Amino acid sequence: MLEYALVAGLTSAGADAYIMHVTTTPSVSFAARCGMFDCGIVISASHNPFYDNGIKLLTGKGEKLGDEVIDLLENYLDDPSSYPVSRADGDAVGAAIDYVAGRNSYMAHLMTVISVPLSGMKIGLDCANGAAYNIARRVFRSLGAEVHAVGCRPDGLNVNLKVGSTHISALRALVRERGLDIGFAFDGDGDRCICVDEDGGVIDGDGILYILARSLSDEGALAGKKIVATVMSNTGLVRSLGELGIAVERCAVGDRFVYEKMCRCGAVLGGEQSGHIIIGKVENTGDGIATALCVAQAMKNWGVRASELTDGLKIFPQVCASVAVENKQAAFSRVVAEEKARAEALLGSGGRVLVRPSGTENLIRIMVEGEDENLCVRLCERLSAAVSGGGEQCAE
């Protein structure tokens, strides 16, 4: 419905709409950049249920739009008279063009991301019943891997439903039951990746950043010996990479902020704990499939099991919770500020507390990190109660 409405609106205003159909966000970013388009548009709920579907806009460089343009668009939606849009007549009306070739070019690009074949590897994929369901399997098989997959039966309603990067149990079961070497879970629009080792252990975005930072450093390709991570990334990642002479630059949560920080500080690798990983030599946006390929290559190059990829990474206990609220801004009260200050005092210099609004849902995200896990749990519970005032809590 959204696709057809978009195409009708674009062509009625005189634009040509090149339709890639079911495809990932990074593939649209790639097509916009390499096909010299004016912009890219993705219909996606990201890692959320289908009813959260919305419209994501990218520049002609494949980057996310800045706040200035987003504000302009939202003002127009609130009051269309604020920016009159002219309609095309006659031969000025735009065309709707089938652009499956754009998706095929992206798949060809993915096959150049790594330099070693994946023959002999047994790989599990969880495509979240989303946009990566066809692309990921074809790419990994073309590179020689034996592929086993779940989350590859999209019906428009089941995207991210008990599968994908935020519901990792299906992939863990697949990897263990079939004796696979490694598994990769993507989200609905294919820009996130979470790994599962041969024993079913989860390797999140922090673990992936550690693996890829080491891999790029080994190749002499880690510019400036630094990466970018968000404030949610574990302090253990910062310290473990520091022991290898690799610095970590922090930024706000959000893959757009990661990319902007990478551009400012000259880093070629950045990402989020949630699995948004940006590999500068490959893309300028998060790409779950490209991330999975690079992790698989590191595993091949090092000749190790998946569970050994993060050897040397020492993670601090980190307890997270999500609290449902009606108004995200109103939830930041004096009581919450006081409770946060008390928690920080109890944790001391070795701990951290973050309280922030979700970027996509009416939730307040809470993270407590420190050396004593039991203390972190208690403090997280107290913060959750302060935010909710006794309201609904969503444990993570």
Side-chain angles (χ1 to χ4, degrees):
M1 179 179 67
L2 289 172
E3 178 185 343
Y4 292 160
L6 270 169
V7 171
L10 290 165
T11 53
S12 72
D16 293 337
Y18 285 71
I19 309 169
M20 294 177 68
H21 305 288
V22 178
T23 194
T24 63
T25 290
S27 73
V28 177
S29 172
F30 175 83
R33 186 174 76 253
C34 297
M36 299 184 70
F37 289 94
D38 293 297
C39 68
I41 303 175
V42 184
I43 300 166
S44 166
S46 187
H47 55 286
N48 295 330
F50 76 93
Y51 46 75
D52 283 343
N53 267 318
I55 298 169
K56 185 183 298 186
L57 299 166
L58 307 172
T59 70
K61 295 180 180 179
E63 302 167 352
K64 287 187 176 179
L65 291 181
D67 291 335
E68 182 180 344
V69 180
I70 291 173
D71 290 343
L72 178 67
L73 293 170
E74 289 182 343
N75 290 338
Y76 171 76
L77 291 174
D78 292 337
D79 179 16
S81 65
S82 65
Y83 192 86
V85 177
S86 60
R87 300 299 177 192
D89 292 317
D91 60 6
V93 171
I97 300 161
D98 188 285
Y99 194 52
V100 175
R103 192 169 71 233
N104 291 339
S105 295
Y106 168 70
M107 284 192 286
H109 156 70
L110 284 176
M111 292 178 199
T112 68
V113 166
I114 61 175
S115 57
V116 296
L118 302 180
S119 51
M121 293 188 74
K122 295 189 294 182
I123 293 176
L125 301 177
D126 181 345
C127 299
N129 290 322
Y133 85 100
N134 199 15
I135 296 173
R137 289 182 296 174
R138 290 173 64 183
V139 168
F140 274 90
R141 284 172 178 154
S142 296
L143 290 169
E146 177 184 322
V147 174
H148 301 256
V150 293
C152 291
R153 295 177 178 271
D155 61 13
L157 304 179
N158 63 357
V159 62
N160 299 311
L161 182 61
K162 298 181 180 179
V163 287
S165 61
T166 53
H167 301 86
I168 208 72
S169 57
L171 180 62
R172 295 179 71 187
L174 177 73
V175 170
R176 287 194 299 253
E177 289 167 6
R178 302 198 182 179
L180 307 183
D181 298 312
I182 194 168
F184 301 105
F186 312 115
D187 66 336
D189 67 330
D191 61 1
R192 295 188 185 195
C193 175
I194 297 292
C195 303
V196 169
D197 68 30
E198 74 279 3
D199 298 319
V202 177
I203 304 173
D204 66 8
D206 283 352
I208 293 171
L209 284 172
Y210 180 77
I211 294 164
L212 297 186
R214 288 180 55 209
S215 178
L216 288 170
S217 183
D218 288 349
E219 298 170 7
L222 190 65
K225 296 285 281 186
K226 60 187 170 185
I227 71 166
V228 172
T230 76
V231 293
M232 281 298 294
S233 280
N234 198 282
T235 299
L237 171 68
V238 178
R239 294 190 180 182
S240 298
L241 286 177
E243 291 174 0
L244 301 175
I246 299 170
V248 178
E249 300 266 357
R250 296 273 199 178
C251 68
V253 174
D255 57 323
R256 177 162 70 93
F257 300 116
V258 172
Y259 178 67
E260 289 173 355
K261 184 74 169 184
M262 289 172 64
C263 292
R264 288 198 301 271
C265 73
V268 295
L269 175 66
E272 298 187 275
Q273 199 176 56
S274 61
H276 273 124
I277 308 295
I278 301 174
I279 306 166
K281 69 174 184 178
V282 178
E283 305 281 2
N284 56 10
T285 189
D287 190 326
I289 300 174
T291 298
L293 290 169
C294 290
V295 171
Q297 177 174 253
M299 190 173 164
K300 267 273 196 179
N301 287 342
W302 296 341
V304 299
R305 296 180 302 165
S307 57
E308 299 171 309
L309 285 168
T310 53
D311 283 356
L313 175 60
K314 302 176 183 67
I315 292 296
F316 282 33
Q318 194 179 79
V319 179
C320 300
S322 296
V323 182
V325 295
E326 290 186 6
N327 186 314
K328 288 187 282 189
Q329 300 309 317
F332 287 92
S333 64
R334 177 181 58 80
V335 174
V336 173
E338 291 175 352
E339 194 63 55
K340 180 175 181 289
R342 280 194 288 269
E344 289 170 335
L346 287 168
L347 288 167
S349 60
R352 294 190 303 140
V353 178
L354 290 174
V355 182
R356 64 178 184 86
S358 166
T360 57
E361 302 168 87
N362 285 328
L363 299 172
I364 297 297
R365 308 285 193 192
I366 298 169
M367 186 277 287
V368 181
E369 179 185 278
E371 298 179 7
D372 184 337
E373 185 169 7
N374 291 329
L375 177 60
C376 290
V377 170
R378 293 199 304 273
L379 296 177
C380 189
E381 289 172 349
R382 283 163 53 172
L383 278 161
S384 296
V387 169
S388 66
E392 180 185 357
Q393 295 183 25
C394 310
E396 293 181 355

